[in-house]
Amino acid sequence: MAVLTNHPIYKRISRIPPAYFIFIGLLVLLWIARPHMLNVNIMGIFIRQVVPLGILVLGQLLVIRVNSIDLSGAGVLLLINFYISSGMFAGASLSFFIALSLATGLTVGLLNGYLVGKRRVSAVIATLAVNIVLVGIVQFLASGKPPGDVPSTFNEIYNTKVWLVPAPVVFWIVLTALMSIFLSRFVFGRNVVSVGANPVAARFSGVPVERTVILSHTIAGLMTALASLVQTASIAVGSVRVGHDLPILAVAATILGGVVFGRGEGGVWGPFFGVLSFALLFVVMTTFGIGEPGKLVAQGVIILAAAIFYGVRTAGSQS
Amino acid sequence: MKTTLIRLINGQDRRQGRWVFAFLIALAIVVWLGLSTGQFLTAENLLNLVAQAMPLIITAIGMMLVVLVGGLDLSVGSVISFTTAVLALGAPGIVSIPGVFILAALIGLVNGIAVTRLNVHPIIATLSMSYIVLGITRILRPVSGGDVPQVVIDAVAGSFLGIPLPVFWGVLTILLAWKIIHGSRFGLHLFAIGGGIASGTEDAARNFGVADKRDTLLAYVGCSCFASLAGIFLAGRIVSGDPNVGLLFELDAITAVAIGGTQLSGGVGSLHGTIIGAVVMALLANGMNLANISPFVQTAIKGAILLLVVGLQSRKKMGL
């Protein structure tokens, strides 16, 4: 084992995030089994479905890199969906909803950041608790029933295309590129790397550790708000169940994409392909007629396998 | 006496955690419910309360084992649902009861191996396990139903010497758990391993000759087995297999453990604290039901309590 793990080729390959292998593997599988699925229109529709997940991942990868996690996404998603679909703000303009959503995401992100960064609460518990509170509030307001319809403007934007590519997909790619530039060209990106690599060393080196953690959570909150807007536009109706497993999938996609808890390393495009892998996985499972329980098992196995891949690699590099 | 009390309330009894605070909360709720509603202090309601609290007490005790070593098990809810689904398959009790324990131990074993040997973060390992187990549960039993062995139903519903059986479940589980946590070398080692992790010297226990990886692995196995025991109890109560019965149990268990003064970073906690924590949760649910509070608001209140309790637990380390 040690001979194999110390081999330079193994080391080179083990640096590539598993997302790329899974993406290519699924693509080949589709190409062999269902070649007619591989056309721009069909793929566009499937990829459009994972855009909310993709945007959520942009925030999740930030918090995971600073050794935190954000599991409050489902609550924010429900709350924003409720604002828009319940008729609570009937007749309000699109910009009002966007502003309200961003403000919500910002508030929840700041709260998470304060709890994790300042109060040093366990990030899993804190964000899960925030999630439970938000879900409880929305379900109480909606009394368990799905609210009404979403204004048609949302759906119109969602259905437009830029050349052949659906607008949400373009939005996602642009956002990912912006995040990539933000992390590689700005001081904040360097701070994220150093806090993730070693928070104690970072503090002694004058890196504002707490501020970096709080800012990461705040950006994650904003990303959740954007993801909620796209998600709401896509389903076009109010729902009290929508997106409850998105935050977990976002964690999974982030890990598939080569971002590991508290190691500071990993880029933006690895998780991007992690999300695309999920899109393909859903295509493959749908075309092979695998039901909901089978999908759950497959998700679990893939997350565990990716985590084990990284765990073994980390153990190998330590010894 | 007075100084002992002050020391206990301030949590200076370091290894046991701040359980006195939870005890006072429990006492306050009992007094409030006893005074405000006539139904609360009836024998029927109190018995109901014991039976309601029992699955959470059992699950929380298991959760405490992994929390003591600085871990977390998010798969216990799925294990509970899974246990009821397997029991409801219609096999005779003599086969299915040992069967569910073996399956639960295997689930715990995989969690433990992933965490200790393959270096996977406990949250990721147990979360993916919860997906896998939930998926299998839904394949076995898409909707609630099936035949639970009569022996399981009798073990929960009946009474012995005039005392209802859930009381015996409680006494036996607590004795077993006391033996494991406070009465064995294994239990002592859990405190040592977790204490080292919480203070940032992860190999402290190992340097004193504790088999830290083996004991951590056994903590995960124990956690799953306790969850499975809770599942058997629940199956007896609802008389069917239900793929959703364990939903959110892991959060209630974590909340109970945290309320009971166990530090989520590891090494600090006590069995009586955990039991008190679970009782507080059950009392709250009971009280909110008696006060006719909507189940959705109850969810939100539970979340707020969890947030408050862990918000008061300051840690040295930032992050997960």
Side-chain angles (χ1 to χ4, degrees):
Chain A
M1 188 71 187
V3 178
L4 185 71
T5 51
N6 285 331
H7 197 278
I9 295 177
Y10 173 85
K11 282 189 170 172
R12 181 76 52 87
I13 291 176
S14 71
R15 298 231 172 277
I16 304 172
Y20 294 104
F21 298 121
I22 295 175
F23 182 72
I24 293 168
L26 288 169
L27 213 55
V28 171
L29 184 67
L30 262 185
W31 183 64
I32 294 170
R34 301 281 192 279
H36 63 273
M37 296 294 289
L38 290 175
N39 94 31
V40 181
N41 276 324
I42 297 178
M43 278 298 144
I45 290 168
F46 275 106
I47 292 173
R48 193 175 66 169
Q49 285 175 358
V50 296
V51 170
L53 177 63
I55 298 172
L56 211 57
V57 160
L58 292 176
Q60 197 66 261
L61 66 91
L62 261 184
V63 290
I64 287 186
R65 282 176 70 173
V66 296
N67 201 22
S68 187
I69 197 168
D70 184 356
L71 298 174
S72 65
V76 178
L77 242 91
L78 278 184
L79 189 59
I80 290 176
N81 182 279
F82 184 77
Y83 285 155
I84 298 174
S85 62
S86 64
M88 201 171 160
F89 305 98
S93 65
L94 187 65
S95 49
F96 171 81
F97 281 128
I98 293 174
L100 186 65
S101 305
L102 290 179
T104 307
L106 190 77
T107 313
V108 175
L110 264 177
L111 175 66
N112 288 338
Y114 167 79
L115 288 168
V116 175
K118 270 259 189 278
R119 296 278 330 156
R120 312 235 156 153
V121 179
S122 158
V124 181
I125 312 294
T127 55
L128 266 179
V130 169
N131 185 47
I132 300 174
V133 174
L134 291 175
V135 171
I137 291 174
V138 174
Q139 287 192 327
F140 170 65
L141 289 175
S143 3
K145 291 189 293 287
D149 287 337
V150 172
S152 59
T153 352
F154 280 95
N155 209 243
E156 280 158 23
I157 297 175
Y158 184 74
N159 283 324
T160 49
K161 279 189 177 179
V162 181
W163 293 300
L164 276 171
V165 191
V169 179
V170 176
F171 181 58
W172 174 31
I173 294 172
V174 169
L175 218 52
T176 309
L178 284 177
M179 182 62 90
S180 172
I181 293 167
F182 183 55
L183 283 179
S184 56
R185 295 272 175 270
F186 286 74
V187 178
F188 175 73
R190 309 308 308 166
N191 287 350
V192 167
V193 172
S194 51
V195 172
N198 187 340
V200 180
R203 179 168 304 113
F204 286 131
S205 317
V207 173
V209 177
E210 285 182 3
R211 209 199 312 154
T212 308
V213 172
I214 294 173
L215 190 57
S216 301
H217 268 287
T218 311
I219 295 173
L222 285 176
M223 289 298 157
T224 312
L226 289 176
S228 322
L229 285 168
V230 178
Q231 175 82 3
T232 305
S234 79
I235 56 169
V237 286
S239 167
V240 287
R241 302 206 173 280
V242 60
H244 59 98
D245 59 347
L246 273 187
I248 299 295
L249 279 181
V251 175
T254 309
I255 290 170
L256 284 186
V259 176
V260 199
F261 282 112
R263 284 175 60 82
E265 61 184 40
V268 168
W269 297 104
F272 181 84
F273 276 92
V275 175
L276 284 182
S277 301
F278 273 111
L280 279 188
L281 186 69
F282 295 146
V283 181
V284 169
M285 292 209 276
T286 311
T287 54
F288 284 93
I290 298 172
E292 201 54 43
K295 284 183 185 171
L296 280 173
V297 175
Q299 276 172 24
V301 170
I302 287 178
I303 302 170
L304 193 58
I308 288 174
F309 174 87
Y310 269 102
V312 172
R313 198 195 85 179
T314 323
S317 67
Q318 277 167 356
S319 55
Chain B
M1 175 65 203
K2 197 178 160 196
T3 47
T4 314
L5 195 65
I6 292 172
R7 219 184 52 192
L8 278 173
I9 294 174
N10 285 336
Q12 282 181 12
D13 191 355
R14 295 300 280 274
R15 215 180 84 186
Q16 309 239 315
R18 301 180 186 209
W19 58 271
V20 177
F21 192 58
F23 181 69
L24 294 177
I25 296 176
L27 212 60
I29 301 174
V30 169
V31 171
W32 167 59
L33 288 176
L35 292 177
S36 63
T37 58
Q39 304 133 287
F40 179 74
L41 283 175
T42 58
E44 195 187 354
N45 187 49
L46 288 180
L47 180 62
N48 212 357
L49 193 68
V50 172
Q52 263 178 12
M54 200 47 62
L56 183 59
I57 292 177
I58 299 172
T59 317
I61 288 171
M63 180 67 80
M64 185 190 159
L65 296 178
V66 294
V67 171
L68 276 181
V69 291
L72 211 57
D73 190 343
L74 298 177
S75 67
V76 293
S78 296
V79 171
I80 291 173
S81 303
F82 176 69
T83 301
T84 68
V86 172
L87 281 179
L89 285 176
I94 196 155
V95 178
S96 60
I97 295 173
V100 289
F101 277 118
I102 292 169
L103 289 172
L106 279 176
I107 293 169
L109 191 69
V110 176
N111 281 336
I113 289 174
V115 171
T116 58
R117 304 285 167 184
L118 301 173
N119 220 3
V120 178
H121 198 283
I123 291 165
I124 303 300
T126 58
L127 196 68
S128 31
M129 184 51 74
S130 86
Y131 271 109
I132 297 169
V133 176
L134 189 65
I136 296 171
T137 308
R138 291 207 174 141
I139 293 169
L140 287 177
R141 183 144 295 289
V143 289
S144 111
D147 299 311
V148 175
Q150 191 59 38
V151 58
V152 174
I153 301 169
D154 291 342
V156 177
S159 63
F160 180 68
L161 300 175
I163 302 166
L165 285 176
V167 177
F168 287 98
W169 277 75
V171 173
L172 290 177
T173 320
I174 289 168
L175 282 178
L176 173 70
W178 191 89
K179 181 68 190 151
I180 293 174
I181 294 170
H182 294 303
S184 76
R185 196 173 287 182
F186 168 69
L188 187 65
H189 288 175
L190 293 185
F191 283 96
I193 297 165
I197 292 172
S199 60
T201 44
E202 306 211 345
D203 46 4
R206 193 182 319 144
N207 293 342
F208 281 99
V210 174
D212 61 338
K213 291 195 171 176
R214 189 197 64 197
D215 287 348
T216 306
L217 191 147
L218 283 176
Y220 281 93
V221 173
C223 180
S224 275
C225 286
F226 271 107
S228 191
L229 188 63
I232 295 175
F233 186 91
L234 270 171
R237 251 173 85 79
I238 58 175
V239 203
S240 63
D242 186 343
N244 297 320
V245 70
L247 216 66
L248 291 181
F249 241 92
E250 56 277 359
L251 288 177
D252 283 358
I254 293 168
T255 314
V257 167
I259 291 178
T262 300
Q263 286 280 325
L264 293 171
S265 41
V268 175
S270 65
L271 177 63
H272 44 276
T274 301
I275 295 167
I276 293 168
V279 170
V280 168
M281 297 286 289
L283 282 171
L284 273 174
N286 193 270
M288 289 193 287
N289 279 336
L290 288 178
N292 263 332
I293 294 174
S294 132
F296 302 124
V297 178
Q298 289 192 20
T299 314
I301 291 177
K302 268 197 220 164
I305 291 170
L306 179 56
L307 203 54
L308 188 74
V309 172
V310 292
L312 291 173
Q313 288 194 358
S314 61
R315 314 194 316 167
K316 284 204 183 83
K317 271 165 79 177
M318 189 189 293
L320 299 166

